[in-house]
């Protein structure tokens, strides 16, 4: 039906940058809000950046001023530009989207498989 596929994770030194991408594909009629979550070992998954269909954004305090979420509606893709990375940003990063398919009039939540980001000190 619908797949969300993340890419762009990897190993980076403190202060470095990475850009994550997430592409939604499948039987998509519409895409509403999308977001990036992350989960560190032993911690709950947390929402770090959200973007509405209209481009409105919201960030968790810990990434404000360092991370930027954006989207390309024509490509059903969102991005997360991560600058000034810190060791505490190390986590698996997940893409999330509220997506309407040709099989349902309502929007349903979908998750990507996650991509590992490791920041070395």
């Amino acid at each position: 039906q619908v797949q969300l596929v993340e890419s762009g994770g990897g190993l980076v030194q403190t202060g470095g940058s990475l850009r994550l991408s997430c592409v939604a594909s499948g039987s998509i009629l519409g895409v509403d809000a999308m977001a990036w979550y992350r989960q560190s070992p032993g911690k709950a998954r947390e929402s770090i950046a959200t973007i509405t269909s209209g481009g409105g954004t919201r960030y968790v305090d810990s990434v404000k001023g360092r991370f930027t979420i954006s989207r390309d509606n024509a490509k059903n893709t969102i991005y997360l530009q991560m600058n000034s990375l810190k060791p505490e940003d190390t986590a698996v990063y997940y893409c999330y989207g509220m997506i309407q398919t040709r099989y349902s009039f309502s929007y349903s939540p979908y998750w990507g498989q996650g991509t590992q980001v490791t920041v070395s000190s």
Side-chain angles (χ1 to χ4, degrees):
Q1 288 198 13
V2 174
Q3 281 190 316
L4 272 63
V5 179
E6 302 101 333
S7 61
L11 173 65
V12 65
Q13 291 186 332
T14 296
S17 298
L18 283 174
R19 189 189 193 214
L20 305 183
S21 300
C22 170
V23 180
S25 63
S27 304
I28 297 173
L29 287 182
V31 181
D32 199 356
M34 297 191 75
W36 288 98
Y37 284 69
R38 68 184 180 188
Q39 186 168 21
S40 305
K43 295 187 178 181
R45 190 175 297 187
E46 65 168 343
S47 173
I48 60 169
T50 302
I51 186 165
T52 67
S53 58
T57 59
R58 186 172 58 195
Y59 301 91
V60 69
D61 286 346
S62 59
V63 308
K64 280 181 182 177
R66 301 187 298 123
F67 291 10
T68 302
I69 188 171
S70 60
R71 67 190 287 166
D72 184 334
N73 290 333
K75 297 180 179 179
N76 288 334
T77 300
I78 63 168
Y79 306 94
L80 186 68
Q81 178 66 44
M82 305 186 293
N83 298 328
S84 303
L85 283 161
K86 306 174 181 179
E88 50 264 43
D89 294 319
T90 295
V92 178
Y93 284 70
Y94 296 91
C95 175
Y96 167 93
M98 290 296 292
I99 297 174
Q100 181 190 38
T101 72
R102 67 179 64 180
Y103 305 108
S104 173
F105 287 113
S106 61
Y107 285 78
S108 299
Y110 290 87
W111 291 91
Q113 82 288 350
T115 185
Q116 177 70 46
V117 171
T118 302
V119 184
S120 63
S121 57

